[in-house]
Amino acid sequence: MARSKEQNYLHGAVILTVGVIIMKILGAIYKIPLGNMLGNEGYALFLSSYNVYGVFLTLATAGLPVALSRMISEANSQGRHLQVRRVFSVSQKAFFVLGFVCTLVMLLFPDWLAGTVLHNPDAAKSIWVLAPSVLLCCITSSYRGFSQGHGNMIPTTVGQVIEVLAKVIAGLALAWYFTSNGYDNSVSSAGAVFGVTVGSLAALIYMIVSQHRNYRYDTLAEPDVPDSDSVILKNLIRIGVPIALGSIVLSLVNLIDSSQCMGRLQNAAGFSYREAKALYGTYGYAQTLYNLPAAFITPLTISIIPAIAMKLAGGLKDEASKISEDSLRISAAMCLPMGIGLSVLADPVIRLLYSDVHESGPMLLFTLGFASVFVCMYLMSTAVLQAAGKEKLTLISIVIGGAVKIAVNYILVGNPDINIYGAPIGTIACYFSMCAMNYVFMCRSLDKAPRLSRVLLRPVLATLIMAAVAYGVYLLMSGILAPTGRLSTALDLCVAIAAAVIAYAVFAIKLRAITAEDMTLIPKGDKIAKLLHMK
């Protein structure tokens, strides 16, 4: 029998979140100095190549890890341990084939992808060096899906931290070497993104070692008869393909976003290639920060899919519905203060982190802060539908949301008066549409639909108070210290953020946006709840 370390869904989410915190710290150490080293134009190359990589990585890995996790969770709940082994074996082969094909395309056609698709030909070298990472990540995803299906989030967390650490060390070292020795932006960007490939290899090595150490099948007390390879592959495809298609559409939308921004800025808004790269690079700076809230929600989505699937497989529909609503509420309680906080403090945050930021930076981040809230709620609502076996419905919302994004981008980015500011407006329209549609689908598909008043009302009230505190304290501090440089700005920000955190914690507890019952599901949570007098 497999030996695993199972956690409840919030316990697992906490483990993954700790990993996210570490990864984001490392990511900041990676991307912020990188942005300053490469400059606006060099960072535009980095971002463009990463968007291409994202499409192929999604094509190779999206959907199947979720399907694998769900199938293993269901087999475990039924005590079918040989079924677990065969599901993993079949999935490994499928992952390898997909990863190999995608890597091959990136290796053979980097110039076409950079020039024709992205309108950014200097990104070709970066695309080429990223190619092996797709295959490596694909194989790694099979191991992660396996451990997540067992309710064990520790291998995924540790592997991701190792991956980011290796990426930071290799990427920054190579970027520094090439920039300091006078190489052009295309070479320096390629050196920076090669760190991603190095990190992917390190993560794969760790996951293989972890698998052999933590799971053994040499003492099966009650052998079961597993399904055939063809049946397992069919189920893997049936569950995974709609999820994968949805993720692919989103990645394609991001790729089209990159292409549209560069193309419309030059062809419609009248900017030169260099000016367009500077604007798009600044948009990339803001996107790096806007992605932070979603990174903290993703661990919860990973944890609830096997948790809900296991409850439904056992016929416990009420418990599955409760997990769904609680997860949405907790997501709102997490993403609202982060997203609105970014918007309220957008100007000092982006100017502090990026010394040469374009004047468009603060407004871009302000708009994307609001967008990040809708992104997070979309991620969680999608996870609920996927766990409930309604993955095909999420594809509909993604296609429509993607169409909205493309249409808004085309109109607004091509307007000289709006230009790059149209891109984050399109992002808000896109994810708001998807959230609204997902909620409609949940109401129609689940036995007990989540109640919006319970999910959103209290977190929104606590967030509004927090936003007022954050903005007021920052204005007060900046008035007292009269900012003279980055150090004084950093001090003002730290005080404002600390005040905002305290205000949100107090009002989230008072308004019961987070409850004592929620806290009992995380490590030492009951003691924390008692200490904070939570109800």
Side-chain angles (χ1 to χ4, degrees), residues 297-325:
I297 297 301
T298 300
L300 188 54
T301 68
I302 293 172
S303 295
I304 70 156
I305 289 176
I308 293 175
M310 187 174 290
K311 296 296 184 184
L312 291 173
L316 304 173
K317 294 183 179 180
D318 286 344
E319 291 187 28
S321 296
K322 187 177 186 307
I323 291 174
S324 300
E325 185 174 88

Side-chain angles (χ1 to χ4, degrees), residues 77-94:
S77 70
Q78 297 163 357
R80 301 183 65 193
H81 304 296
L82 287 178
Q83 173 75 355
V84 169
R85 291 184 66 180
R86 185 164 290 181
V87 167
F88 178 61
S89 175
V90 171
S91 69
Q92 274 193 310
K93 297 170 186 174

Side-chain angles (χ1 to χ4, degrees), residues 425-440:
I425 294 172
T427 301
I428 291 178
C430 168
Y431 283 97
F432 175 80
S433 301
M434 291 193 288
C435 285
M437 294 194 68
N438 276 0
Y439 182 71
V440 171

Side-chain angles (χ1 to χ4, degrees), residues 6 11 17 43 86 105 117 141 162 189 211 248 327 366 372-373 393 441 445 455 470 478 483:
E6 295 189 7
H11 191 161
T17 301
Y43 199 73
R86 185 164 290 181
V105 172
V117 176
S141 292
I162 290 172
S189 173
Q211 171 90 338
I248 290 165
S327 298
F366 174 83
S372 69
V373 175
L393 295 177
F441 292 145
S445 304
V455 169
S478 59

Side-chain angles (χ1 to χ4, degrees), residues 316-348:
L316 304 173
K317 294 183 179 180
D318 286 344
E319 291 187 28
S321 296
K322 187 177 186 307
I323 291 174
S324 300
E325 185 174 88
D326 286 347
S327 298
L328 287 165
R329 176 175 50 80
I330 293 168
S331 296
M334 291 172 62
C335 72
L336 278 162
M338 289 188 287
I340 303 306
L342 275 178
S343 292
V344 169
L345 299 174
D347 186 87

